Amino acid sequence: MSVTEIAPWLANSHWPTAPIRLVARLGSGHTPSRSKPEYWQDCTIPWITLADVWQLRSNQVDVITETKEKISKLGEGNSAAVRHPAGTVILSRTASVGFSAIMGEAMATSQDFVTWTCGPRLDPRFLLHALRAMAPDLKRIAAGSTHKTIYMPDVEKLRVPLPSLVEQRRIVEFLDVETTRLDELTRARSDQLDALGERSFASVSETLIPGTLTQSLGKYPYPWLPAMPKDTRLTRLGYVCRLQNGVTVDEGRARTDSDVTRPYLRVANVQAGHLALDSIAEITVPKHVAKRSTLRAGDVLMTEGGDLDKLGRGTVWRGELANCLHQNHVFALRPELDKLDPDYLALMTQTVHGRFYFESTGTKTTNLASTNSGKILSFPVPLPNLQRQQDLVRRVQEQQESAREAYQVLTRQSALLAERRQALITAAVTGQLDITTARGVEAP
């Protein structure tokens, strides 16, 4: 792959470009044998692995000073691991591709990284900015079916614009100031999005169950609930709703003449508050099985397991696919429509009451949680009359529409800030942006 295929924008550089390996020593890393316990004792050497990429994803950490793992001198001496000096620039090239930083002290890396120790013609901070300008291109050229990888022949072809060292440092100082300003704006938008989510959650709770956030009674068995209005009774869900189980996949089952092939929903299709229908599987089952597991418009879908904070969140099925079935790990709740509005039930699962109930009754493992049909049908639903339920749903939907509009604006602003940051770095390191006129910086 040629350099223009890897990073086409380098062809527009106002500065001459050079292969990075000619102005910086190219290196990599290794993992000492895990089968040798003695290699993993008395570990004192910082060792950068893919477990450390989380620090780099925002591109707001320039210098890496801490690593999740360390290796020992014995492990280093009996492997191809190499300790690189402080100031070495790293680039992730496997799985999480294209993330870069500068070593804050002498460190080793796993084989998932390449390193450049800069010579006298290249400032490490300038190289860091150049690599971040290349990040979208590096992700594009990564190959591999299991884990995307930038192979070493392509790494060796990477080039960097090469203005004078003085100019490199001026560009770095300019970009440090400008990217910091953009990053502060990005963090502000992120904080606003978090606050918007919290406000939306609170408004659903307070609209459906007034007093939830400020007037909880602390009474067993639901201490988070406030006093119920006189026209609202706390009703076990199973009294006003039927639960339908889904299809169990049986790969070894013999086909019959009565089989039918239908679309069916998996756990991945049922998200918190919405459905993800971009990828729908099909399943072939006997006709009588399909009949008892077919979804109807107005069913409220819940998953059996998942992240604890998403457990029990309901989503209304509106007949998006004809004759659609559902997996046995997805429950379909069918309300008695003269007593319980489906949208009201779905929203109730998203309140503080819904969250506390399913989190407190769920079966928890290290990272996941699960519920079952009995716990779902035991969910206590504050149940006013049907007209009142529908009025409350309309109020919440109006609030959510306003929140969605604000969310779209903030998300778009965040995307534009990211685009601006990327374009600014690219233009500055290639000399297409005159940083003297951009910020009134005096030329040397």
Side-chain angles (χ1 to χ4, degrees):
M1 185 174 292
S2 70
V3 65
T4 53
E5 290 176 303
I6 294 175
W9 52 271
L10 279 175
N12 299 320
S13 175
H14 289 196
W15 318 114
T17 65
I20 303 176
R21 61 186 174 83
L22 296 186
V23 289
R25 186 175 73 249
L26 177 62
S28 186
H30 195 255
T31 301
S33 174
R34 296 281 188 181
S35 65
K36 301 283 188 180
E38 62 270 24
Y39 291 176
W40 297 94
Q41 296 173 359
D42 301 319
C43 295
T44 58
I45 301 168
W47 184 53
I48 303 172
T49 68
L50 290 178
D52 299 302
V53 167
W54 67 269
Q55 303 180 55
L56 314 179
R57 290 191 180 277
S58 68
N59 285 332
Q60 295 178 20
V61 174
D62 293 343
V63 179
I64 185 168
T65 57
E66 296 183 359
T67 60
K68 183 176 181 180
E69 292 191 79
K70 295 182 179 181
I71 59 173
S72 68
K73 291 182 179 179
L74 185 62
E76 178 190 25
N78 288 276
S79 71
V82 178
R83 211 177 320 183
H84 304 281
T88 296
V89 181
I90 64 168
L91 174 73
S92 61
R93 70 182 189 96
T94 304
S96 296
V97 170
F99 297 101
S100 50
I102 298 172
M103 290 181 178
E105 60 180 283
M107 295 178 169
T109 76
S110 71
Q111 60 272 23
D112 303 302
F113 290 82
V114 288
T115 65
W116 290 277
T117 305
C118 294
R121 298 175 59 196
L122 183 61
D123 188 297
R125 297 173 301 162
F126 183 82
L127 175 58
L128 176 65
H129 283 302
L131 290 172
R132 287 178 173 174
M134 294 180 202
D137 303 295
L138 297 174
K139 290 179 173 67
R140 175 176 50 79
I141 67 168
S145 56
T146 304
H147 292 298
K148 296 295 184 182
T149 300
I150 305 173
Y151 293 106
M152 289 306 292
D154 287 330
V155 169
E156 292 171 354
K157 292 176 184 176
L158 295 179
R159 300 175 74 92
V160 62
L162 208 62
S164 70
L165 204 56
V166 170
E167 188 65 23
Q168 290 179 42
R169 289 167 179 165
R170 292 178 64 240
I171 291 169
V172 166
E173 291 171 1
F174 167 79
L175 286 175
D176 285 348
V177 171
E178 291 301 306
T179 56
T180 296
R181 183 174 63 85
L182 292 171
D183 292 343
E184 288 173 352
L185 291 171
T186 300
R187 280 192 292 273
R189 294 297 173 273
S190 178
D191 290 344
Q192 288 171 327
L193 284 168
D194 289 343
L196 183 64
E198 292 174 5
R199 180 176 179 178
S200 181
F201 176 51
S203 67
V204 172
S205 297
E206 278 297 318
T207 300
L208 296 189
I209 312 176
T212 295
L213 302 178
T214 58
Q215 301 173 31
S216 59
L217 296 178
K219 291 185 177 180
Y220 180 84
Y222 312 115
W224 54 82
L225 280 175
M228 292 292 108
K230 291 182 179 179
D231 64 345
T232 300
R233 65 188 187 280
L234 209 57
T235 304
R236 183 178 180 274
L237 180 58
Y239 292 156
V240 290
C241 187
R242 184 170 71 84
L243 185 146
Q244 175 176 281
N245 289 305
V247 175
T248 301
V249 178
D250 183 4
E251 298 289 352
R253 185 186 64 83
R255 298 291 180 92
T256 69
D257 292 340
S258 67
D259 284 359
V260 293
T261 299
R262 300 281 173 80
Y264 85 114
L265 293 188
R266 299 162 294 156
V267 170
N269 299 123
V270 183
Q271 302 294 312
H274 69 281
L275 296 169
L277 302 179
D278 51 326
S279 177
I280 296 294
E282 290 188 336
I283 190 170
T284 299
V285 295
K287 187 178 293 185
H288 71 277
V289 173
K291 183 177 180 180
R292 67 171 183 251
S293 298
T294 299
L295 293 171
R296 298 181 191 174
D299 286 348
V300 178
L301 306 177
M302 288 187 189
T303 58
E304 180 182 35
D307 295 337
L308 181 60
D309 65 331
K310 298 178 179 62
L311 191 65
R313 289 197 179 181
T315 302
V316 179
W317 175 254
R318 304 190 189 281
E320 287 87 345
L321 297 170
N323 300 315
C324 189
L325 312 183
H326 60 104
Q327 192 180 40
N328 61 313
H329 298 300
V330 176
F331 298 116
L333 296 161
R334 191 159 295 155
E336 295 180 20
L337 297 180
D338 61 335
K339 298 177 182 175
L340 177 61
D341 182 84
D343 287 293
Y344 178 82
L345 172 59
L347 289 172
M348 186 59 67
T349 67
Q350 299 171 35
T351 62
V352 169
H353 172 48
R355 301 287 13 96
F356 280 2
Y357 174 81
F358 286 105
E359 289 180 17
S360 64
T361 61
T363 302
K364 307 169 188 67
T365 60
T366 303
N367 297 315
L368 299 174
S370 63
T371 188
N372 57 45
S373 58
K375 292 173 182 176
I376 290 174
L377 292 174
S378 294
F379 177 46
V381 181
L383 201 69
N385 63 58
L386 190 63
Q387 183 61 55
R388 177 62 175 162
Q389 294 175 40
Q390 293 168 346
D391 290 343
L392 292 172
V393 166
R394 279 191 289 271
R395 284 177 54 190
V396 171
Q397 289 175 341
E398 289 171 1
Q399 295 166 359
Q400 290 182 329
E401 181 58 32
S402 297
R404 270 192 292 270
E405 292 173 0
Y407 178 85
Q408 290 170 356
V409 170
L410 291 171
T411 302
R412 177 59 178 159
Q413 289 178 354
S414 296
L416 289 173
L417 286 167
E419 291 175 13
R420 168 66 176 167
R421 192 184 199 277
Q422 186 70 31
L424 183 70
I425 294 173
T426 300
V429 299
T430 56
Q432 296 176 75
L433 175 66
D434 183 347
I435 63 170
T436 302
T437 57
R439 284 296 301 266
V441 179
E442 291 185 6

